[in-house]
């Protein structure tokens, strides 16, 4: 499980079940386990501080790699 945080304000965004060892380019909505802070508007995902962290693509979010940090462990699938 990974904990994603905003790169600007360091607020926790959500807890995500990452499968595989690669970088986090997409967050599939069905793998998000817990949401702390997240706002969806105009087809994008924002932190409450106003920073856009991703784009809504339907079943997943395409993440902006400079907008968030993550900590935790990745699962080998």
């Amino acid at each position: 499980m990974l904990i994603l945080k905003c790169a600007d304000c360091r607020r926790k965004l959500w807890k995500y079940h990452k499968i595989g060892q690669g970088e986090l380019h997409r967050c599939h909505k069905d793998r998000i386990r817990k949401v702390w802070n997240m706002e969806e508007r105009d087809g994008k995902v924002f932190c409450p501080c106003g920073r856009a962290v991703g784009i809504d693509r339907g079943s997943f979010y395409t993440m902006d790699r400079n907008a968030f940090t993550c900590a935790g462990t990745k699962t080998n699938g």
Side-chain angles (χ1 to χ4, degrees), residues 14-52:
W14 60 77
K15 185 186 284 190
Y16 182 70
H17 182 235
K18 172 76 168 100
I19 299 173
Q21 292 299 314
E23 291 185 28
L24 188 60
H25 297 289
R26 294 180 178 172
C27 277
H28 295 272
K29 292 179 182 179
D30 58 343
R31 294 187 200 162
I32 295 174
R33 300 293 187 236
K34 184 174 183 178
V35 176
W36 287 287
N37 294 297
M38 177 176 71
E39 298 174 7
E40 292 183 60
R41 62 179 187 270
D42 301 326
K44 292 187 178 183
V45 181
F46 293 89
C47 176
C49 73
R51 176 91 185 238

Side-chain angles (χ1 to χ4, degrees), residues 44-74:
K44 292 187 178 183
V45 181
F46 293 89
C47 176
C49 73
R51 176 91 185 238
V53 294
I55 300 169
D56 191 348
R57 303 283 189 197
S59 64
F60 62 90
Y61 300 121
T62 302
M63 303 302 291
D64 177 4
R65 67 181 192 158
N66 296 320
F68 70 94
T69 61
C70 59
T73 57
K74 299 175 183 177

